[in-house]
Amino acid sequence: MEQPNLKYIKELSGDDVEFEEKFISILKDEFPVEMATYRDHIDSNETHKAADIVHKLKHKLNILSMEEAYRFAVVFEEQLRTGKTEMDSDFNCTLVKIEDFLKTI
């Protein structure tokens, strides 16, 4: 199963440790807020608002080198825009995996 990692961030930062730390700090700050907002919108059946958050989150998936999850999020965002939430459980598993990962770095 695909796991989040820092490969892309390390490539992007080169040898600039300060840049890498700042980038990770931003992820750690933004991700929990966006995840909570996503959950609130799903729980309230606000699928269009949830799709907007998935749009933001999918870029974080890409940054964390989760290509399969990124492709999944692209489809899920489209599904949410049509009011369908069937993919939520799988997406939530990915979010929890990222949440756990960010706690370790």
Side-chain angles (χ1 to χ4, degrees), residues 40-102:
D40 288 344
H41 291 317
I42 288 294
D43 292 345
S44 301
N45 202 32
E46 299 171 320
T47 57
H48 285 275
K49 289 180 180 180
D52 291 341
I53 299 299
V54 170
H55 181 80
K56 290 181 182 182
L57 287 166
K58 75 180 179 189
H59 296 295
K60 288 176 176 60
L61 300 174
N62 209 24
I63 289 166
L64 292 169
S65 302
M66 299 182 75
E67 296 173 14
E68 291 174 31
Y70 175 85
R71 288 190 292 273
F72 181 89
V74 169
V75 173
F76 185 40
E77 179 185 355
E78 293 171 10
Q79 292 291 310
L80 285 168
R81 295 206 187 277
T82 65
K84 297 177 184 170
T85 61
E86 292 83 10
M87 298 170 71
D88 169 61
S89 179
D90 290 332
F91 189 69
N92 194 57
C93 288
T94 299
L95 296 180
V96 170
K97 190 181 300 183
I98 292 169
E99 180 181 47
D100 292 344
F101 174 74
L102 291 176

Coordinates of all heavy atoms in Angstrom, one line a residue, residues 40-102:
D40 N -16.0 17.9 8.3 CA -17.2 18.7 8.6 C -18.2 18.8 7.4 O -19.4 18.7 7.6 CB -16.9 20.1 9.1 CG -16.2 20.1 10.5 OD1 -16.3 19.1 11.2 OD2 -15.6 21.1 10.8
H41 N -17.6 19.1 6.3 CA -18.4 19.2 5.0 C -19.1 17.9 4.7 O -20.2 17.8 4.3 CB -17.6 19.7 3.9 CG -17.2 21.2 4.0 ND1 -18.0 22.1 4.5 CD2 -16.0 21.8 3.8 CE1 -17.4 23.3 4.6 NE2 -16.1 23.1 4.1
I42 N -18.3 16.8 4.8 CA -18.9 15.4 4.5 C -20.0 15.1 5.5 O -21.1 14.7 5.1 CB -17.8 14.3 4.6 CG1 -16.9 14.5 3.4 CG2 -18.4 12.9 4.6 CD1 -17.5 14.2 2.0
D43 N -19.8 15.4 6.8 CA -20.8 15.1 7.8 C -22.0 15.9 7.6 O -23.1 15.5 8.0 CB -20.2 15.3 9.2 CG -19.1 14.3 9.6 OD1 -19.0 13.3 8.9 OD2 -18.4 14.6 10.6
S44 N -21.9 17.1 7.0 CA -23.0 18.0 6.8 C -23.6 17.9 5.4 O -24.5 18.6 5.0 CB -22.6 19.5 6.9 OG -22.1 19.7 8.2
N45 N -23.1 16.9 4.6 CA -23.5 16.6 3.3 C -23.3 17.8 2.4 O -24.1 18.0 1.5 CB -24.9 16.1 3.2 CG -25.2 15.3 2.0 OD1 -24.3 14.7 1.4 ND2 -26.4 15.4 1.5
E46 N -22.3 18.6 2.6 CA -21.9 19.7 1.8 C -20.9 19.3 0.8 O -19.7 19.6 0.9 CB -21.4 20.9 2.6 CG -22.4 21.4 3.6 CD -21.9 22.4 4.6 OE1 -20.8 22.2 5.1 OE2 -22.6 23.3 4.9
T47 N -21.3 18.5 -0.2 CA -20.4 17.9 -1.1 C -19.6 18.8 -2.0 O -18.4 18.5 -2.3 CB -21.1 16.8 -2.0 OG1 -22.2 17.5 -2.7 CG2 -21.7 15.7 -1.2
H48 N -20.2 19.9 -2.4 CA -19.4 20.9 -3.2 C -18.3 21.5 -2.4 O -17.2 21.7 -2.9 CB -20.3 22.0 -3.8 CG -21.1 21.5 -4.9 ND1 -20.6 21.4 -6.2 CD2 -22.4 20.9 -5.0 CE1 -21.6 20.9 -7.0 NE2 -22.6 20.6 -6.3
K49 N -18.6 21.8 -1.1 CA -17.5 22.4 -0.2 C -16.5 21.3 0.1 O -15.3 21.6 0.1 CB -18.2 22.9 1.1 CG -19.0 24.2 0.9 CD -19.6 24.7 2.2 CE -20.4 25.9 2.0 NZ -20.9 26.4 3.2
A50 N -16.9 20.1 0.2 CA -16.0 19.0 0.5 C -15.1 18.8 -0.8 O -13.8 18.6 -0.6 CB -16.7 17.7 0.8
A51 N -15.6 19.0 -1.9 CA -14.8 18.9 -3.2 C -13.8 20.0 -3.2 O -12.6 19.7 -3.7 CB -15.7 19.0 -4.4
D52 N -14.1 21.2 -2.8 CA -13.1 22.2 -2.7 C -11.9 21.9 -1.8 O -10.8 22.2 -2.2 CB -13.8 23.5 -2.3 CG -14.7 24.1 -3.3 OD1 -14.7 23.7 -4.5 OD2 -15.6 24.9 -2.9
I53 N -12.2 21.2 -0.7 CA -11.2 20.8 0.2 C -10.3 19.7 -0.4 O -9.1 19.7 -0.3 CB -11.7 20.5 1.6 CG1 -12.4 21.7 2.2 CG2 -10.6 20.0 2.5 CD1 -11.5 22.9 2.5
V54 N -11.0 18.7 -1.0 CA -10.3 17.6 -1.7 C -9.4 18.2 -2.7 O -8.2 17.7 -2.9 CB -11.3 16.6 -2.3 CG1 -10.6 15.6 -3.2 CG2 -12.0 15.9 -1.2
H55 N -9.8 19.2 -3.4 CA -8.9 19.9 -4.4 C -7.6 20.4 -3.7 O -6.5 20.2 -4.3 CB -9.7 21.1 -5.0 CG -8.9 21.8 -6.1 ND1 -8.7 21.3 -7.4 CD2 -8.1 22.9 -6.0 CE1 -7.9 22.1 -8.1 NE2 -7.5 23.1 -7.3
K56 N -7.7 21.0 -2.6 CA -6.5 21.4 -1.8 C -5.7 20.2 -1.3 O -4.5 20.2 -1.4 CB -6.9 22.3 -0.6 CG -7.5 23.6 -1.0 CD -7.8 24.4 0.3 CE -8.4 25.7 0.0 NZ -8.7 26.5 1.2
L57 N -6.4 19.3 -0.8 CA -5.7 18.1 -0.2 C -5.0 17.3 -1.3 O -3.9 16.7 -1.0 CB -6.7 17.2 0.5 CG -7.2 17.8 1.9 CD1 -8.4 17.0 2.4 CD2 -6.0 17.8 2.9
K58 N -5.5 17.2 -2.5 CA -4.9 16.4 -3.5 C -3.5 16.9 -3.8 O -2.6 16.1 -4.2 CB -5.8 16.2 -4.7 CG -5.8 17.4 -5.6 CD -6.8 17.1 -6.8 CE -6.8 18.3 -7.7 NZ -7.9 18.2 -8.7
H59 N -3.3 18.2 -3.7 CA -1.9 18.7 -4.0 C -1.0 18.3 -2.9 O 0.2 18.0 -3.2 CB -2.0 20.2 -4.2 CG -2.8 20.6 -5.4 ND1 -2.4 20.3 -6.6 CD2 -4.0 21.2 -5.5 CE1 -3.3 20.7 -7.5 NE2 -4.3 21.3 -6.8
K60 N -1.5 18.1 -1.7 CA -0.6 17.6 -0.6 C -0.3 16.2 -0.8 O 0.8 15.7 -0.5 CB -1.3 17.9 0.7 CG -1.3 19.4 1.1 CD -2.0 19.6 2.4 CE -1.9 21.1 2.8 NZ -2.4 22.1 1.8
L61 N -1.2 15.4 -1.4 CA -0.9 14.0 -1.7 C 0.2 13.9 -2.7 O 1.1 13.1 -2.6 CB -2.2 13.4 -2.3 CG -3.4 13.3 -1.5 CD1 -4.6 12.7 -2.2 CD2 -3.2 12.5 -0.2
N62 N 0.2 14.8 -3.7 CA 1.3 14.9 -4.7 C 2.6 15.2 -4.0 O 3.6 14.6 -4.3 CB 0.9 15.9 -5.8 CG 1.5 15.5 -7.1 OD1 1.8 14.4 -7.4 ND2 1.6 16.5 -7.9
I63 N 2.6 16.2 -3.2 CA 3.8 16.6 -2.5 C 4.4 15.5 -1.6 O 5.6 15.4 -1.5 CB 3.5 17.9 -1.6 CG1 3.2 19.1 -2.5 CG2 4.6 18.2 -0.6 CD1 2.6 20.3 -1.8
L64 N 3.5 14.7 -1.1 CA 3.9 13.6 -0.2 C 4.2 12.3 -1.1 O 4.2 11.2 -0.5 CB 2.9 13.3 0.9 CG 2.8 14.4 1.9 CD1 1.7 14.2 2.8 CD2 4.1 14.5 2.7
S65 N 4.3 12.5 -2.4 CA 4.7 11.4 -3.3 C 3.7 10.2 -3.3 O 4.0 9.1 -3.5 CB 6.1 10.8 -3.0 OG 7.0 11.9 -3.1
M66 N 2.4 10.6 -3.2 CA 1.3 9.6 -3.2 C 0.6 9.7 -4.5 O -0.5 10.2 -4.6 CB 0.4 9.8 -2.0 CG 1.1 9.6 -0.7 SD 0.0 9.8 0.7 CE -0.8 8.2 0.7
E67 N 1.2 9.2 -5.6 CA 0.6 9.3 -6.9 C -0.7 8.6 -7.1 O -1.6 9.2 -7.7 CB 1.6 8.8 -7.9 CG 2.9 9.7 -8.0 CD 4.0 9.1 -8.9 OE1 3.7 8.2 -9.7 OE2 5.1 9.5 -8.7
E68 N -0.8 7.4 -6.6 CA -2.1 6.7 -6.7 C -3.2 7.4 -5.9 O -4.3 7.6 -6.4 CB -2.0 5.3 -6.1 CG -1.1 4.4 -7.0 CD -0.9 3.0 -6.3 OE1 -1.8 2.6 -5.5 OE2 0.2 2.5 -6.5
A69 N -2.9 7.9 -4.7 CA -3.9 8.6 -3.9 C -4.3 9.9 -4.6 O -5.4 10.4 -4.5 CB -3.3 8.9 -2.5
Y70 N -3.3 10.6 -5.3 CA -3.6 11.8 -6.0 C -4.6 11.5 -7.1 O -5.6 12.2 -7.3 CB -2.3 12.4 -6.6 CG -2.6 13.6 -7.5 CD1 -2.7 14.9 -6.9 CD2 -2.7 13.5 -8.8 CE1 -2.9 16.0 -7.7 CE2 -3.0 14.6 -9.6 CZ -3.1 15.8 -9.0 OH -3.3 16.9 -9.8
R71 N -4.4 10.5 -7.9 CA -5.3 10.1 -9.0 C -6.7 9.8 -8.4 O -7.7 10.1 -9.0 CB -4.7 9.0 -9.8 CG -3.6 9.4 -10.7 CD -3.2 8.3 -11.7 NE -2.6 7.1 -11.0 CZ -1.3 6.9 -10.7 NH1 -0.4 7.9 -11.0 NH2 -0.9 5.8 -10.1
F72 N -6.7 9.1 -7.3 CA -8.0 8.8 -6.6 C -8.7 10.1 -6.2 O -9.9 10.2 -6.4 CB -7.7 7.9 -5.4 CG -8.9 7.5 -4.6 CD1 -9.6 6.3 -4.9 CD2 -9.4 8.3 -3.6 CE1 -10.7 6.0 -4.2 CE2 -10.6 7.9 -2.9 CZ -11.2 6.8 -3.2
A73 N -7.9 11.0 -5.7 CA -8.5 12.3 -5.2 C -9.1 13.1 -6.4 O -10.1 13.8 -6.2 CB -7.5 13.1 -4.5
V74 N -8.5 13.0 -7.5 CA -9.0 13.7 -8.7 C -10.4 13.2 -9.1 O -11.3 13.9 -9.3 CB -8.0 13.5 -9.9 CG1 -8.7 14.0 -11.2 CG2 -6.7 14.3 -9.7
V75 N -10.5 11.9 -9.1 CA -11.8 11.2 -9.4 C -12.8 11.5 -8.3 O -14.0 11.9 -8.5 CB -11.7 9.7 -9.6 CG1 -13.0 9.0 -9.7 CG2 -10.8 9.4 -10.8
F76 N -12.4 11.4 -7.0 CA -13.3 11.7 -5.9 C -13.8 13.1 -5.9 O -15.0 13.4 -5.6 CB -12.5 11.4 -4.6 CG -13.4 11.5 -3.3 CD1 -14.7 11.0 -3.4 CD2 -12.9 12.0 -2.2 CE1 -15.5 11.1 -2.2 CE2 -13.7 12.1 -1.0 CZ -15.0 11.7 -1.0
E77 N -12.9 14.1 -6.2 CA -13.3 15.5 -6.3 C -14.5 15.6 -7.3 O -15.5 16.3 -7.0 CB -12.2 16.4 -6.7 CG -12.5 17.8 -6.8 CD -11.4 18.7 -7.3 OE1 -10.2 18.2 -7.5 OE2 -11.6 19.9 -7.6
E78 N -14.3 15.0 -8.5 CA -15.4 15.0 -9.5 C -16.7 14.4 -9.0 O -17.8 14.9 -9.2 CB -14.9 14.3 -10.8 CG -13.8 15.1 -11.5 CD -13.2 14.2 -12.6 OE1 -13.8 13.2 -13.0 OE2 -12.1 14.6 -13.1
Q79 N -16.5 13.3 -8.3 CA -17.7 12.6 -7.7 C -18.4 13.5 -6.7 O -19.6 13.6 -6.7 CB -17.3 11.3 -7.1 CG -16.8 10.2 -8.0 CD -17.9 9.7 -8.9 OE1 -19.0 9.3 -8.4 NE2 -17.7 9.7 -10.2
L80 N -17.7 14.1 -5.8 CA -18.3 15.0 -4.8 C -19.0 16.2 -5.5 O -20.1 16.6 -5.0 CB -17.2 15.6 -3.9 CG -16.6 14.6 -2.9 CD1 -15.4 15.2 -2.2 CD2 -17.7 14.3 -1.8
R81 N -18.5 16.6 -6.6 CA -19.2 17.8 -7.3 C -20.5 17.3 -7.9 O -21.4 18.2 -8.1 CB -18.3 18.3 -8.4 CG -17.0 19.0 -7.8 CD -16.4 20.1 -8.6 NE -15.2 20.5 -8.0 CZ -15.1 21.4 -7.0 NH1 -16.1 21.9 -6.5 NH2 -13.9 21.7 -6.6
T82 N -20.7 16.0 -8.0 CA -22.0 15.5 -8.4 C -22.9 15.0 -7.3 O -23.9 14.4 -7.5 CB -21.9 14.4 -9.5 OG1 -21.2 13.3 -8.9 CG2 -21.1 14.9 -10.7
G83 N -22.4 15.2 -6.0 CA -23.1 14.8 -4.8 C -22.9 13.4 -4.3 O -23.5 13.0 -3.4
K84 N -21.9 12.7 -4.9 CA -21.6 11.3 -4.5 C -20.5 11.3 -3.5 O -19.4 11.8 -3.7 CB -21.3 10.5 -5.8 CG -22.4 10.4 -6.8 CD -22.0 9.7 -8.0 CE -23.1 9.7 -9.0 NZ -22.7 9.2 -10.3
T85 N -20.7 10.5 -2.4 CA -19.7 10.4 -1.4 C -19.2 9.0 -1.1 O -18.6 8.7 -0.2 CB -20.3 11.0 0.0 OG1 -21.5 10.2 0.3 CG2 -20.7 12.4 -0.1
E86 N -19.5 8.1 -2.0 CA -19.2 6.7 -1.9 C -17.7 6.4 -1.7 O -17.3 5.4 -1.0 CB -19.7 5.8 -3.0 CG -21.2 5.7 -3.1 CD -21.9 6.9 -3.8 OE1 -21.2 7.7 -4.4 OE2 -23.1 7.0 -3.8
M87 N -16.9 7.3 -2.2 CA -15.4 7.1 -2.1 C -14.8 7.6 -0.8 O -13.6 7.6 -0.6 CB -14.8 7.7 -3.3 CG -15.2 7.1 -4.6 SD -14.6 8.0 -6.1 CE -12.9 7.7 -6.1
D88 N -15.7 8.2 0.1 CA -15.2 8.9 1.3 C -14.4 7.9 2.2 O -13.4 8.3 2.7 CB -16.4 9.4 2.1 CG -16.0 9.9 3.4 OD1 -15.1 10.8 3.5 OD2 -16.5 9.4 4.4
S89 N -14.9 6.7 2.4 CA -14.2 5.8 3.3 C -12.7 5.6 2.9 O -11.8 5.6 3.7 CB -15.0 4.5 3.4 OG -14.3 3.6 4.2
D90 N -12.5 5.3 1.6 CA -11.2 5.1 1.1 C -10.3 6.4 1.2 O -9.2 6.3 1.6 CB -11.2 4.6 -0.3 CG -11.7 3.2 -0.5 OD1 -11.6 2.4 0.5 OD2 -12.3 2.9 -1.5
F91 N -10.9 7.5 0.9 CA -10.2 8.8 1.0 C -9.8 9.1 2.4 O -8.7 9.5 2.7 CB -11.0 9.9 0.4 CG -10.3 11.2 0.3 CD1 -9.2 11.3 -0.7 CD2 -10.6 12.3 1.0 CE1 -8.5 12.5 -0.8 CE2 -9.9 13.5 0.9 CZ -8.8 13.6 0.0
N92 N -10.8 8.8 3.3 CA -10.5 9.0 4.8 C -9.3 8.2 5.2 O -8.5 8.6 6.0 CB -11.7 8.7 5.6 CG -11.6 9.3 7.0 OD1 -11.3 10.5 7.2 ND2 -11.7 8.4 8.0
C93 N -9.2 6.9 4.8 CA -8.1 6.1 5.1 C -6.7 6.7 4.7 O -5.8 6.7 5.5 CB -8.2 4.7 4.5 SG -9.5 3.7 5.2
T94 N -6.7 7.3 3.5 CA -5.5 8.0 3.1 C -5.2 9.2 4.0 O -4.1 9.4 4.3 CB -5.7 8.5 1.6 OG1 -5.9 7.3 0.8 CG2 -4.5 9.3 1.1
L95 N -6.3 9.9 4.3 CA -6.0 11.1 5.2 C -5.5 10.7 6.6 O -4.6 11.4 7.1 CB -7.4 11.9 5.4 CG -8.0 12.5 4.1 CD1 -9.2 13.2 4.5 CD2 -7.0 13.4 3.4
V96 N -6.0 9.6 7.1 CA -5.5 9.1 8.4 C -4.0 8.7 8.3 O -3.2 9.0 9.2 CB -6.4 8.0 8.9 CG1 -5.7 7.3 10.1 CG2 -7.8 8.5 9.3
K97 N -3.7 8.1 7.2 CA -2.3 7.6 6.9 C -1.4 8.9 6.9 O -0.3 8.8 7.5 CB -2.3 6.9 5.6 CG -1.0 6.2 5.3 CD -1.0 5.5 4.0 CE -2.1 4.5 3.9 NZ -2.0 3.7 2.7
I98 N -1.8 9.9 6.2 CA -1.0 11.1 6.2 C -0.9 11.8 7.6 O 0.1 12.2 8.0 CB -1.6 12.1 5.1 CG1 -1.4 11.6 3.7 CG2 -0.9 13.5 5.3 CD1 -2.2 12.3 2.7
E99 N -2.1 11.8 8.2 CA -2.1 12.4 9.6 C -1.1 11.7 10.5 O -0.3 12.3 11.2 CB -3.5 12.3 10.2 CG -3.6 12.8 11.6 CD -5.1 12.7 12.1 OE1 -5.6 11.5 11.9 OE2 -5.6 13.6 12.6
D100 N -1.1 10.4 10.4 CA -0.1 9.6 11.2 C 1.3 9.9 10.8 O 2.2 10.0 11.7 CB -0.4 8.1 11.1 CG -1.7 7.7 11.8 OD1 -2.3 8.5 12.6 OD2 -2.2 6.6 11.5
F101 N 1.6 9.9 9.5 CA 2.9 10.2 9.0 C 3.4 11.6 9.5 O 4.6 11.7 9.9 CB 2.9 10.1 7.5 CG 4.2 10.5 6.8 CD1 5.3 9.7 6.9 CD2 4.3 11.8 6.2 CE1 6.5 10.1 6.3 CE2 5.5 12.1 5.6 CZ 6.6 11.3 5.7
L102 N 2.6 12.6 9.4 CA 3.0 13.9 9.8 C 3.3 14.0 11.2 O 4.2 14.8 11.6 CB 1.9 15.0 9.4 CG 1.7 15.2 7.9 CD1 0.6 16.2 7.7 CD2 3.0 15.7 7.2

